[in-house]
Amino acid sequence: MPPHAQRNRLIEDNLPLVGYLAAETHARATHVPREELAGVGALALVTAASAYDPSLGVPFGAYARRRILGAFADEMRAMDWASRGIRRRIKETVAVREALTAGLGRTATIAEIATAMGMPEQEVSEALSDASRTVTTLDDPSAAGLISDIPLPEESALLAERRHVLECAVLALPERMRQIVQAVYIDERPVKEIAEELGVSHSAVSQQRAEAVRLLRDGLEHYFADGPAPEPVSRVSVAVREAFFARMVEIGGERIARAFRRRSALTA
């Protein structure tokens, strides 16, 4: 296959990854438009495909994921309003609040925090208000990748729900696809090594990985889509896709079952 065609194939097969990462990041940073993230991520995917060197043994999916998340982080840094001084004040105030809350067994009041820090109550109130909208970097280990230091309850709930549904979808994949997704995206093993272990070609692993990503996207959109489910993007048979949905319900329980029944009723 000519280099240009290989590059285009990488881009086409991994576009669902851009959509998934953009949706996941938007769920944690609702102030950043999902469409803007998708545009930045698509550009990062194109540049990743152009720069990718398969001889290094790094799976393209893992390589592209890092590039896309890095592009998201750069975009959000450019949008961030907080100076280092403000960030330091926020971090100190939140740390004192958490320490007092743990010691008191209840949420510390602004007056208690102000007394402990020797600060006016107004400054403490402003710092805590700023904390609710401060953007951190995606790779900040202290925040475990969360965009907000203090996520709103509805944002935390949505993030937890997305993770739960994705975990169920990964576990529901056909066995070979599940093994490949685990090896590529979680264990970050070289595709060549995975192919040798499974006794198949490098291209066969890549094709299965791409189809697994498409099937995961079908599962997520079948659960989260507003209105009838979108047209599937996976190329598997209807029987395989329906069996995948059935396993998601079996693994995820009544919550996923209700969403799928609602989607079926809207489609009927």
Side-chain angles (χ1 to χ4, degrees):
M1 186 181 295
H4 182 72
Q6 291 178 345
R7 169 181 170 275
N8 288 349
R9 180 67 177 272
L10 288 175
I11 294 170
E12 292 169 1
D13 286 350
N14 287 274
L15 276 174
L17 178 62
V18 174
Y20 166 68
L21 292 176
E24 183 185 53
T25 303
H26 175 68
R28 295 176 286 163
T30 54
H31 64 286
V32 183
R34 179 173 174 174
E35 295 77 11
E36 187 170 329
L37 288 171
V40 170
L43 179 58
L45 175 63
V46 171
T47 57
S50 299
Y52 180 58
D53 182 358
S55 66
L56 296 178
V58 178
F60 180 74
Y63 173 71
R65 184 179 186 277
R66 290 195 183 102
R67 294 287 293 265
I68 293 167
L69 290 178
F72 288 172
D74 289 342
E75 181 70 12
M76 285 186 285
R77 287 189 195 102
M79 297 175 64
D80 196 5
W81 55 271
S83 66
R84 290 185 179 181
I86 292 175
R87 284 184 178 279
R88 183 168 57 252
R89 184 190 64 179
I90 291 170
K91 186 175 181 179
E92 291 171 353
T93 305
V94 170
V96 170
R97 183 184 65 174
E98 291 177 349
L100 287 174
T101 296
L104 296 169
R106 58 170 173 78
T107 302
T109 66
I110 289 178
E112 289 167 340
I113 298 170
T115 299
M117 298 184 70
M119 289 172 52
E121 292 184 19
Q122 180 64 28
E123 290 187 22
V124 172
S125 180
E126 290 175 356
L128 294 177
S129 176
D130 289 341
S132 67
R133 63 190 184 97
T134 298
V135 178
T136 75
T137 61
L138 284 174
D139 53 359
D140 180 356
S142 67
L146 291 178
I147 305 306
S148 171
D149 290 313
I150 309 176
L152 296 174
E154 58 268 25
E155 293 173 346
S156 296
L158 179 58
L159 176 59
E161 184 178 18
R162 285 184 178 277
R163 286 178 174 171
H164 171 70
V165 176
L166 179 60
E167 288 169 0
C168 293
V170 170
L171 292 173
L173 286 171
E175 181 62 21
R176 178 58 61 89
M177 288 186 185
R178 188 191 61 75
Q179 290 176 349
I180 291 173
V181 167
Q182 169 75 31
V184 172
Y185 291 110
I186 301 175
D187 300 337
E188 297 190 358
R189 295 171 55 194
V191 172
K192 181 179 179 181
E193 180 182 307
I194 300 169
E196 290 175 353
E197 180 179 296
L198 297 177
V200 297
S201 66
H202 184 290
S203 62
V205 172
S206 297
Q207 290 169 6
Q208 285 282 294
R209 177 206 53 76
E211 190 58 35
V213 170
R214 287 191 286 266
L215 197 53
L216 288 173
R217 179 178 172 186
D218 283 346
L220 290 171
E221 293 192 347
H222 199 72
Y223 182 90
F224 286 107
D226 294 326
E231 286 296 316
V233 296
S234 60
R235 302 168 185 170
V236 298
S237 67
V238 173
V240 169
R241 189 179 302 110
E242 290 301 322
F244 166 66
F245 290 159
R247 284 193 297 272
M248 283 186 64
V249 170
E250 181 181 350
I251 294 167
E254 183 59 26
R255 177 162 46 165
I256 291 180
R258 281 199 305 269
F260 281 15
R261 285 198 297 268
R262 184 171 64 252
R263 197 75 57 234
S264 297
L266 290 171
T267 305

